[in-house]
């Protein structure tokens, strides 16, 4: 088989690239269906981009690398594409855009675009034995015991990272990089829940509250969720991308900072009110009970001095915790790290060392915040490569 471009990995980036590249395009994936991460994302409604997507919302050893691709194919471009295909959407919070109906609409849109572009999509097909030739690459496709040799002028790797192996993640991109002497920055799970020893928060499992969570100087104000294994929720997932093994995180359960002033006013008006009852106006009752076992929260409001109220507020707004770890790639939404951006053209995603070899999407050392940023990187990096193919 002779093609102009072979793309391995039919996820968001791979399909987007295949849909817009020129020439004869072969798209290969070992999964039964394309876009499985799209299908499950956003509770089945796909948080497909973010209104506020910008380079500062992405982690990379080179924080400037993503700027070119994001500027040349922005969130507004993808929104225009979605609107053109009459997919209804809504903004949830913090600029996060979701399909009104189903994530399957995004998959159907991409499949339709690929069909219009004449893409040869091969599912339940493994690609292996990749070799460089004088005028491109050869690879072997395997399906149900049958093998096909393919020659491609160009090769695009869009197989993602290691996150959510049950969805088929293998880390193949890193193997291909190693084969061709392309460096990979250290990888680890990101956008992932924290774990703690000894069922520390098991009694609070299911409790949720708004909080500001800080890790290594980066703070996020969103929901926090207690689980049987530790802490989750958007604020925690965001902070996990900045956390390193052994580091503390700081949890501010009173991000609006009004507790002392409010309790002083309540003390003057209703001093006989129980302190824990009043705290339960600001925090879930079960969480107040938890703190009551670790700090003195007895008595009525009238019993509390200004100094004591400030001490309580400080304890609740500067809660320092040391996670034992994370839940790992099993539940991580993305993989932090990946193909070293020094190895790639920021304009085309092509490798400097191996002409014709491209890496796009999650495989690259560009990792976005929670809330549609990583899908935007998939669209933007895919288009950067597609325009060069």
């Amino acid at each position: 088989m002779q093609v102009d471009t072979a793309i391995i990995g039919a996820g968001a980036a791979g399909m987007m690239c295949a849909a817009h590249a020129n020439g004869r395009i072969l798209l290969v994936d070992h999964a039964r269906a394309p876009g499985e991460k799209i299908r499950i994302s956003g509770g089945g409604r796909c948080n497909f981009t973010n209104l506020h997507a910008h380079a500062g919302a992405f982690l990379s050893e080179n924080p400037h690398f993503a700027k070119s691709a994001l500027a040349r194919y922005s969130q507004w471009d993808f929104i225009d594409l979605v609107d053109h295909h009459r997919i209804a959407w809504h903004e949830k919070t913090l600029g996060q855009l979701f399909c009104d109906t189903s994530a399957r609409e995004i998959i159907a849109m991409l499949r339709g675009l690929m069909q219009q572009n004449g893409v040869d999509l091969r599912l339940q097909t493994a690609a292996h034995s990749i070799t460089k030739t004088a005028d491109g690459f050869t690879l072997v496709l395997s399906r149900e015991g049958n093998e096909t040799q393919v020659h491609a002028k160009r090769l695009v790797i869009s197989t993602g990272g290691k996150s959510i192996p049950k969805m088929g993640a293998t880390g193949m991109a890193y193997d291909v990089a190693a084969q061709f002497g392309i460096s990979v920055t250290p990888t680890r799970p990101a956008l992932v829940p924290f774990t703690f020893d000894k069922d520390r928060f098991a009694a609070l499992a299911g409790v949720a509250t708004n909080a500001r969570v800080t890790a290594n100087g980066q703070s996020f104000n969103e929901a926090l969720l207690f689980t049987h294994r530790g802490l989750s929720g958007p604020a925690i997932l965001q902070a996990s991308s900045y956390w390193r093994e052994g580091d503390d995180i700081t949890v501010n359960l009173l991000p609006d900072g009004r507790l002392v002033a409010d309790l002083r006013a309540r003390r003057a008006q209703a001093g006989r009110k129980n302190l824990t009852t009043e705290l339960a106006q600001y925090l879930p009752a079960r969480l107040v009970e938890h703190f009551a076992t670790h700090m003195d929260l007895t008595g009525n409001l009238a019993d509390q001095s200004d100094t004591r109220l400030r001490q309580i507020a400080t304890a609740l707004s500067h809660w320092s915790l040391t996670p034992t770890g994370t839940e790992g790639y099993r539940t991580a939404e993305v993989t932090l790290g990946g193909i070293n951006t020094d190895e790639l053209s920021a304009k085309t995603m092509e490798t400097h060392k191996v002409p014709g070899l491209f890496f796009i999407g999650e495989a690259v050392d560009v990792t976005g915040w929670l809330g549609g940023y990583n899908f935007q990187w998939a669209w933007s990096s895919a288009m950067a490569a597609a325009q060069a193919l």
Side-chain angles (χ1 to χ4, degrees):
M1 183 188 299
Q2 300 276 340
V3 297
D4 293 304
T5 303
I7 302 173
I8 305 177
M15 286 197 289
M16 188 72 171
C17 186
H20 294 90
N22 294 314
R24 296 163 298 172
I25 308 299
L26 171 68
L27 177 59
V28 179
D29 200 295
H30 62 178
R32 292 178 176 272
E36 282 294 88
K37 273 196 173 181
I38 297 175
R39 180 181 63 81
I40 68 168
S41 68
R45 292 192 175 182
C46 186
N47 181 192
F48 56 82
T49 193
N50 194 292
L51 292 175
H52 310 306
H54 62 284
F58 293 84
L59 291 79
S60 173
E61 287 196 358
N62 179 358
H64 302 290
F65 180 82
K67 290 180 178 179
S68 176
L70 291 169
R72 287 181 295 117
Y73 192 84
S74 71
Q75 63 268 39
W76 310 111
D77 294 310
F78 193 76
I79 291 168
D80 285 346
L81 182 65
V82 169
D83 287 343
H84 179 74
H85 287 82
R86 299 181 180 179
I87 298 174
W89 53 268
H90 62 277
E91 180 185 357
K92 192 173 180 181
T93 57
L94 303 174
Q96 301 171 23
L97 303 190
F98 291 78
C99 298
D100 282 357
T101 305
S102 171
R104 295 180 187 275
E105 292 182 286
I106 299 294
I107 298 172
M109 175 188 75
L110 293 171
R111 293 198 71 162
L113 289 170
M114 288 195 299
Q115 186 174 12
Q116 292 173 23
N117 202 29
V119 174
D120 183 356
L121 174 62
R122 303 287 182 98
L123 298 171
Q124 294 181 275
T125 302
H128 55 92
S129 301
I130 300 169
T131 57
K132 184 74 176 74
T133 64
D135 58 348
F137 302 84
T138 60
L139 56 152
V140 176
L141 306 184
S142 298
R143 187 178 190 278
E144 297 179 347
N146 298 315
E147 292 192 341
T148 303
Q149 189 175 79
V150 176
H151 179 76
K153 296 177 183 177
R154 295 169 293 274
L155 178 63
V156 179
I157 306 298
S158 57
T159 53
K162 300 177 181 179
S163 57
I164 317 183
K166 70 178 182 180
M167 300 299 296
T170 63
M172 177 184 176
Y174 315 136
D175 296 333
V176 175
Q179 177 184 340
F180 290 103
I182 295 165
S183 64
V184 176
T185 65
T187 60
R188 60 187 179 83
L191 300 181
V192 62
F194 287 130
T195 56
F196 291 81
D197 279 340
K198 302 176 181 177
D199 299 323
R200 179 169 179 178
F201 299 120
L204 291 171
V207 172
T209 188
N210 288 327
R212 179 183 298 127
V213 179
T214 303
N216 285 313
Q218 188 71 37
S219 300
F220 294 95
N221 283 32
E222 292 189 69
L224 176 151
L225 173 68
F226 292 88
T227 72
H228 286 284
R229 291 171 54 82
L231 295 175
S232 188
I236 291 293
L237 299 186
Q238 296 276 40
S240 73
S241 295
Y242 294 85
W243 179 81
R244 296 294 186 275
E245 198 79 26
D247 289 347
D248 292 343
I249 62 170
T250 302
V251 177
N252 181 354
L253 296 167
L254 307 168
D256 60 15
R258 299 197 313 264
L259 182 68
V260 173
D262 287 356
L263 289 184
R264 288 180 65 188
R266 287 291 292 162
R267 185 180 61 189
Q269 299 167 0
R272 294 184 180 180
K273 290 286 187 179
N274 186 275
L275 174 60
T276 55
T277 300
E278 290 303 304
L279 288 174
Q281 303 299 312
Y282 300 86
L283 297 171
R286 283 168 60 193
L287 187 53
V288 174
E289 291 173 9
H290 172 82
F291 278 104
T293 64
H294 299 282
M295 53 193 291
D296 182 14
L297 297 180
T298 59
N300 299 328
L301 283 176
D303 302 323
Q304 316 302 320
S305 65
D306 285 357
T307 298
R308 182 54 185 155
L309 292 180
R310 285 192 292 268
Q311 290 173 342
I312 293 169
T314 298
L316 296 176
S317 59
H318 295 81
W319 189 20
S320 182
L321 298 165
T322 307
T324 56
T326 72
E327 292 194 1
Y329 291 114
R330 180 180 64 85
T331 60
E333 296 202 11
V334 291
T335 301
L336 191 70
I339 307 303
N340 191 330
T341 56
D342 288 345
E343 302 275 10
L344 305 175
S345 162
K347 184 177 180 180
T348 66
M349 304 293 130
E350 185 176 16
T351 61
H352 300 306
K353 292 177 181 174
V354 186
L357 177 62
F358 299 71
F359 289 88
I360 59 176
E362 186 186 349
V364 179
D365 176 28
V366 175
T367 304
W369 290 349
L370 184 72
Y373 294 93
N374 288 293
F375 273 127
Q376 185 57 48
W377 172 246
W379 316 136
S380 297
S381 61
M383 288 299 288
Q387 291 164 3
L389 295 173

